[in-house]
Amino acid sequence: MRKIITGLRLLLYCGKLLCAYVVSLPLRLLSKYQNIWLLSERGDDGRDNGIRFFSYLNGRGVQARCYFVIRKRSKDYAAASEAGKVVETDSWKHFVLFALAKVRISTHPWGGDIPCAELFHALKLHRIIRKKTVFLQHGITKDHQPGLSFPAIMPDIFVCGALPEYHYIKDAFGH
């Protein structure tokens, strides 16, 4: 029974993602949907460098439409709303904006900006659906973490806080 439920969940997810990509096709013709950036932390919070960077971008007149992905029931939702446009995690709008997005920026390697991220990665869709990805990690990576190795994650930009960290990330994780 559990396998059937899991199979149905995966099928529904794929259907919803496919529909979002179909709906996004005509929207791409409109200028307001041509440069979407999704920012996030885990998708249920907004109190670290993800929300700070979102606030920074919105205060600088960036030529992109930036959305912060966060759950409505999060205690950080109100603060994120004050910083700019927000989208409810895993909502239909989130799926469509994900389909439209040019750039994904997240403080977590699996991306809180991805709708139903655990299903997305379980289906290995990250290998098929490629977008400009920025891993805006928090803190300094000093210990070995296999989940940060290439090709487990393949960000276009892996933000490092210092030159020694850059060398460590490059040498130890293959980025």
Side-chain angles (χ1 to χ4, degrees), residues 53-89:
F53 190 55
F54 177 64
S55 296
Y56 173 83
L57 290 174
N58 284 321
R60 296 288 186 256
V62 174
Q63 297 298 313
R65 288 194 180 272
C66 299
Y67 292 85
F68 193 79
V69 180
I70 188 167
R71 292 202 187 288
K72 268 194 178 166
R73 68 178 182 266
S74 169
K75 59 184 170 184
D76 302 320
Y77 186 86
S81 297
E82 290 175 17
K85 295 177 183 161
V86 296
V87 61
E88 166 79 14
T89 305

Side-chain angles (χ1 to χ4, degrees), residues 30-139:
L30 303 172
S31 62
K32 74 179 197 173
Y33 295 111
Q34 291 181 358
N35 196 14
I36 304 285
W37 289 14
L38 291 182
L39 291 92
S40 71
E41 290 179 7
R42 280 181 287 242
D44 59 358
D45 59 348
R47 62 183 79 115
D48 207 342
N49 57 345
I51 192 69
R52 301 291 181 263
F53 190 55
F54 177 64
S55 296
Y56 173 83
L57 290 174
N58 284 321
R60 296 288 186 256
V62 174
Q63 297 298 313
R65 288 194 180 272
C66 299
Y67 292 85
F68 193 79
V69 180
I70 188 167
R71 292 202 187 288
K72 268 194 178 166
R73 68 178 182 266
S74 169
K75 59 184 170 184
D76 302 320
Y77 186 86
S81 297
E82 290 175 17
K85 295 177 183 161
V86 296
V87 61
E88 166 79 14
T89 305
D90 299 336
S91 66
W92 172 245
K93 184 176 181 180
H94 182 195
F95 274 82
V96 174
L97 287 173
F98 178 77
L100 289 164
K102 275 190 168 181
V103 179
R104 300 178 40 241
I105 302 169
S106 182
T107 60
H108 287 74
W110 295 102
D113 59 300
I114 300 171
C116 305
E118 74 283 350
L119 294 176
F120 187 84
H121 290 289
L123 293 167
K124 308 247 186 272
L125 293 176
H126 60 285
R127 294 182 180 167
I128 301 166
I129 299 173
R130 293 287 300 152
K131 297 177 181 295
K132 288 276 187 217
T133 305
V134 178
F135 177 34
L136 185 67
Q137 65 167 332
H138 30 218

